[in-house]
Amino acid sequence: MSAPRTPEEALAFLSRLNPSGIKLGLERVGEALQALGHPERRYPVLHVAGTNGKGSTCAFAATALQAAGHRVGLYTSPHLVRVNERIRVGGEDISDEDFGRAILDVLERYPSAVAEPMTYFEFGTVVALWHFARVGVDVVVLETGLGGRLDATSAAPSTVTAITPVSFDHMEYLGNTLAAIAGEKAGILKPGVPCVVARQAPEALEAIEARARVLGVPLVVEGRDFEARLQPDGSLTYQGAVWRLEGLRLSLRGPHQVQNAAVALACLESLSSRGVAVSREEAKAGLGSARWPGRLEEVGERPVVLLDGAHNPAGVEVLLASLRTLYTGRPVHCVFGVVADKDRGPMLRALFPACASVQLTPLETSRSLPPAAYLDEARALVPDVTSWPDVDAALAEARRRAGPEGLVLCTGSLFLVGMVRARLGTP
C-alpha cells in the first residue's frame, strides 16, 4: 500500500483498511502516539466503556460540556452512514478536508502505518486523538470500541472513566461470563482516576470492584452514590454526590435513557471536581438537547419508520420495553438484519414474537449473516417471516404491511440502521 499524498488519497487509504478487522492490544497505537508527540496528553478525557448505553451516555456528556462553553471532541463508533461521524468537534462531524489532512499528518510522522497497516479502528483512533490536539479542544469524550483493557482508546490517559451496564456481547474476545466481560471493560480504569459505574449484575460489579481495589480507583456507583428517578410528569430528578437536579427533560427517548442520563450526570460531577467546570443548569441544558441517531429514532411517517441499533440480547430487551412504553398497541412490522458473530438466538426469541411480521435482509458488510441461515429459526417464532435479497425490498414490504397507522421497526444491527438512514436521506 503506497503512501497517500492528497487529502482525497488519504481518505481512500483509510477506506482500504479492513473495517471488520479486530486486533486487540495497545502496542501499535502506543507507538503511533509516541511518534506524534503524544497528542492524547493535551486535554482532559472522559473515557466510557460498557456493553449498552455508552454511546448515549457520551452524547449526553458531550452536549452538556458544550453547553458549558467547552470546545468538545467526541469520538464514537461505529458510524451509521459516513465515517466522518466518528470524529466530532463542537457537535460537527469532521470535514473531508480536515479528515484527509489529519490522516496525512499521522502518516508523515508515523510512516510505519503504511508499511504495516493498523486496523481501521486503531488508525481512526490515532487520527482522532491527533485531530483533537491539532484543533485545540478543551475536553475529549472517548467511547471504547470493544472491551476496554486492550481497546485502542485505552492508550489515552483519563480524567474520569465510566462503565455503563455490562451484558453478553463479543464473547469470542471478552469471555463467556459476565465477570470476565466486566473485567475486560474495567481495563479502562487508571490508578487514582474516579470511575462512574452504572447499576450492574452482582458478578459484573464484583469484577469491577476487584480491579478498582488493585488500582486504588474511587468508584461512584449508581444506586449507592447517585441515582435518577422518573417522575409522574415525565421529568427526572437526579441526586448525586453534590448535585440535586429536578425537572430534567431528556431529548433521547426510552425508559433506559434515565440510567444513561444518570451516568452522564455523575461523570459531569466528577469532571467538575477535576477542573472541567459544568454547572447544574448547563448539565440540564445538555441533557435536554443531546442527539444520538439510530436509537429509537423516527425517520418516516405514515407509517412511522423507527430505527434502533439493538444488536445484542440486552439491547433487544431495552428496545422491547421502549416499544411497550412509546408505541402501545401499535402492530410492529420488523425489518431485521444481523451480523454472523452475534448471539442471535436470544435476540430472535425475545423480539420476533412481539412482531406482526418480520422481513429478513442481508447487511452491506462481509460480516452479514445471510437470512437463509436463520429463516427456519425465525419462522418457528413468528409465522409471517419473509427473506429478501436486499434492504430495499424488505423495507418496502414492511411499509406495505404496516399501512399508514402501523409501525416499521428496523433493528438487529447498526449496519442496518445506517443502510436505512442513507436510503431515506436522513441528515
Side-chain angles (χ1 to χ4, degrees):
M1 191 180 295
S2 59
R5 298 178 182 177
T6 67
E8 293 77 16
E9 290 178 357
L11 291 171
F13 170 87
L14 175 65
S15 70
R16 288 195 295 272
L17 299 178
N18 180 8
S20 300
I22 295 173
K23 192 182 292 183
L24 298 178
L26 304 180
E27 296 83 3
R28 295 168 299 278
V29 173
E31 289 176 3
L33 292 173
Q34 183 176 9
L36 291 165
H38 290 294
E40 77 283 7
R41 298 177 183 174
R42 301 180 201 174
Y43 34 69
V45 171
L46 168 60
H47 194 192
V48 182
T51 305
N52 292 304
K54 60 184 186 289
S56 297
T57 300
C58 287
F60 278 136
T63 309
L65 289 163
Q66 286 165 206
H70 298 291
R71 184 168 167 83
V72 182
L74 174 62
Y75 181 62
T76 60
S77 63
H79 59 275
L80 297 180
V81 180
R82 301 181 72 231
V83 67
N84 307 57
E85 300 165 24
R86 296 182 180 221
I87 303 174
R88 297 171 67 84
V89 174
E92 298 293 330
D93 297 353
I94 188 172
S95 67
D96 285 347
E97 176 69 20
D98 284 345
F99 207 165
R101 287 291 172 194
I103 293 170
L104 291 176
D105 286 346
V106 170
L107 294 178
E108 178 184 348
R109 292 161 176 79
Y110 186 64
S112 297
V114 177
E116 300 178 18
M118 292 184 280
T119 68
Y120 188 88
F121 184 74
E122 287 176 325
F123 189 71
T125 300
V126 171
V127 170
L129 296 172
W130 168 259
H131 177 69
F132 294 148
R134 188 180 67 82
V135 301
V137 300
D138 301 319
V139 59
V140 165
V141 179
L142 286 181
E143 179 191 8
T144 58
L146 190 155
R149 182 174 64 93
L150 299 175
D151 190 81
T153 58
S154 289
S158 306
T159 307
V160 173
T161 62
I163 301 177
T164 65
V166 174
S167 59
F168 290 101
D169 202 5
H170 299 295
M171 282 93 81
E172 68 274 30
Y173 298 105
L174 305 181
N176 293 312
T177 67
L178 275 184
I181 296 169
E184 289 294 322
K185 305 287 185 183
I188 69 168
L189 271 60
K190 303 291 196 300
V193 174
C195 178
V196 175
V197 184
R199 188 174 279 107
Q200 305 285 347
E203 58 267 43
L205 182 59
E206 287 171 9
I208 295 167
E209 289 176 329
R211 181 64 178 164
R213 284 193 295 270
V214 170
L215 297 177
V217 170
L219 295 183
V220 182
V221 181
E222 183 184 10
R224 185 189 74 187
D225 304 305
F226 71 94
E227 191 159 26
R229 292 185 178 276
L230 190 63
Q231 301 303 313
D233 66 354
S235 69
L236 264 65
T237 298
Y238 171 80
Q239 180 63 60
V242 177
W243 292 352
R244 178 173 176 80
L245 304 177
E246 298 180 345
L248 280 162
R249 298 283 178 178
L250 302 183
S251 56
L252 303 183
R253 302 188 310 148
H256 60 293
Q257 295 297 356
V258 173
Q259 181 178 53
N260 296 334
V263 173
L265 286 167
C267 289
L268 294 167
E269 280 193 276
S270 291
L271 284 169
S272 292
S273 70
R274 295 171 71 83
V276 184
V278 182
S279 73
R280 292 168 171 79
E281 289 306 312
E282 290 160 347
K284 288 178 68 173
L287 268 63
S289 58
R291 292 185 67 250
W292 193 233
R295 284 76 174 177
L296 291 179
E297 179 187 18
E298 292 188 4
V299 296
E301 298 178 351
R302 299 184 62 81
V304 169
V305 177
L306 182 69
L307 307 183
D308 192 83
H311 56 274
N312 54 44
V316 167
E317 291 296 340
V318 167
L319 169 60
L320 287 169
S322 298
L323 290 176
R324 289 190 291 268
T325 301
L326 301 173
Y327 300 96
T328 306
R330 297 277 284 275
V332 177
H333 298 270
C334 182
V335 177
F336 187 87
V338 67
V339 296
D341 58 1
K342 292 297 178 182
D343 185 16
R344 71 176 184 275
M347 296 169 62
L348 271 57
R349 290 193 292 273
L351 178 63
F352 285 6
C355 299
S357 73
V358 175
Q359 315 303 321
L360 304 180
T361 179
L363 306 173
E364 294 169 350
T365 170
S366 60
R367 295 169 58 198
S368 177
L369 182 67
Y374 63 108
L375 178 59
D376 290 342
E377 186 179 355
R379 282 180 172 157
L381 298 168
V382 55
D384 194 350
V385 180
T386 308
S387 171
W388 298 93
D390 54 58
V391 71
D392 299 284
L395 181 60
E397 179 62 13
R399 295 174 92 166
R400 185 188 72 79
R401 287 174 178 265
E405 304 304 322
L407 175 68
V408 173
L409 170 66
C410 302
T411 193
S413 171
L414 285 167
F415 287 109
L416 176 62
V417 168
M419 291 160 62
V420 176
R421 283 187 110 246
R423 281 159 173 78
L424 297 182
T426 305

